[in-house]
Amino acid sequence: MERHPRKKIVLLFAFLQTLLYIPLALLGYLIWKGVWQSYSVSSLIIAYTLLSVFSGIIYPVWFSWMGDLVPEYQRGIYFSKRHRIAAIAGLITLIAGLALDIAEANGILLLGFSILFIIAGIFSAISLILLRKQYSPVFKIKKDYYFSMFAFLKRFDSVGKFAVYYALLNAAMYLASPFFAVYMRENLQFNYLTITLVSLSSTVFYILFA
């Protein structure tokens, strides 16, 4: 952010995210056609890893950008409303779960995934167009606020302890999370709609009590 405009960073990696939906959609189609079977799992892992990495790069830069756009006294209200709206919009994934069940019943499950990836890519492209129109003030960093990662870890104050705790918590969660859906699907024999409902339960409680 010191060397490149925040808007440029966000737009670049948001664009790369949007492009990644193309190979993801193509991968589902190829496997459905019986092609690329040997490399399907590794290709999916690579594509999803890149998608997560790009998202991880975007968020802190975007958060800093929005912090300069939203007045300090309105940030709590603004981000609270934004997260609530995003959570409500996320309930649309119920339609995706239902669509996957219908696709599976008709023997075109992987094609159904491909179609969902295409739809996700379209919405990602729309968000990219909207981001291009958003104003971006010049980023100014105060020298007194600057510290290196080594200095941050060395001082290990309350913020540092929380950051390490949160990093370890997320590491454990992300190591375990890929197995949740497999467990629900293979062991509990849930259909895709039920899996979607279980996954969205946290979002529903967030909307109700946030």
Side-chain angles (χ1 to χ4, degrees), residues 47 59 95 114 152:
Y59 186 76
I95 300 173
S114 291
F152 175 72

Side-chain angles (χ1 to χ4, degrees), residues 10-140:
V10 171
L11 288 177
L12 171 62
F13 287 98
F15 174 70
L16 292 175
Q17 267 191 323
T18 303
L19 287 181
L20 272 174
Y21 285 109
I22 298 174
L24 282 170
L26 185 61
L27 183 62
Y29 176 77
L30 289 175
I31 299 172
W32 177 59
K33 284 290 189 180
V35 184
W36 206 256
Q37 298 281 0
S38 302
Y39 307 99
S40 58
V41 176
S42 56
S43 298
L44 182 61
I45 290 173
I46 291 170
Y48 187 75
T49 300
L50 289 173
L51 201 64
S52 299
V53 168
F54 296 156
S55 178
I57 293 172
I58 289 171
Y59 186 76
V61 182
W62 173 86
F63 196 75
S64 169
W65 178 9
M66 292 301 298
D68 284 348
L69 289 178
V70 182
E72 188 172 353
Y73 67 93
Q74 289 184 335
R75 287 174 191 168
I77 297 172
Y78 170 79
F79 284 106
S80 175
K81 287 183 177 179
R82 185 186 183 279
H83 289 320
R84 188 167 296 176
I85 292 169
I88 293 171
L91 295 177
I92 296 173
T93 53
L94 284 171
I95 300 173
L98 181 61
L100 288 175
D101 279 336
I102 294 172
E104 185 178 31
N106 288 276
I108 53 170
L109 177 61
L110 290 172
L111 185 61
F113 274 109
S114 291
I115 293 171
L116 289 178
F117 282 131
I118 291 171
I119 294 172
I122 291 171
F123 279 101
S124 181
I126 293 171
S127 69
L128 189 62
I129 293 170
L130 294 175
L131 276 173
R132 286 175 60 88
K133 297 180 180 181
Q134 184 170 294
Y135 170 69
S136 178
V138 177
F139 177 63
K140 296 179 181 178

Side-chain angles (χ1 to χ4, degrees), residues 130-200:
L130 294 175
L131 276 173
R132 286 175 60 88
K133 297 180 180 181
Q134 184 170 294
Y135 170 69
S136 178
V138 177
F139 177 63
K140 296 179 181 178
I141 184 169
K142 296 180 181 180
K143 292 184 178 180
D144 296 340
Y145 291 170
Y146 180 81
F147 54 86
S148 66
M149 180 61 71
F150 178 75
F152 175 72
L153 294 173
K154 186 178 179 180
R155 71 184 184 187
F156 203 59
D157 56 6
S158 297
V159 177
K161 291 175 182 177
F162 175 76
V164 172
Y165 163 77
Y166 195 67
L168 292 174
L169 180 67
N170 274 279
M173 182 179 69
Y174 283 115
L175 280 171
S177 60
F179 302 101
F180 293 157
V182 177
Y183 174 73
M184 288 188 286
R185 182 67 179 163
E186 299 296 331
N187 295 79
L188 301 181
Q189 299 294 311
F190 286 174
N191 58 27
Y192 287 101
L193 181 59
T194 305
I195 292 174
T196 305
L197 285 169
V198 172
S199 302
L200 285 176

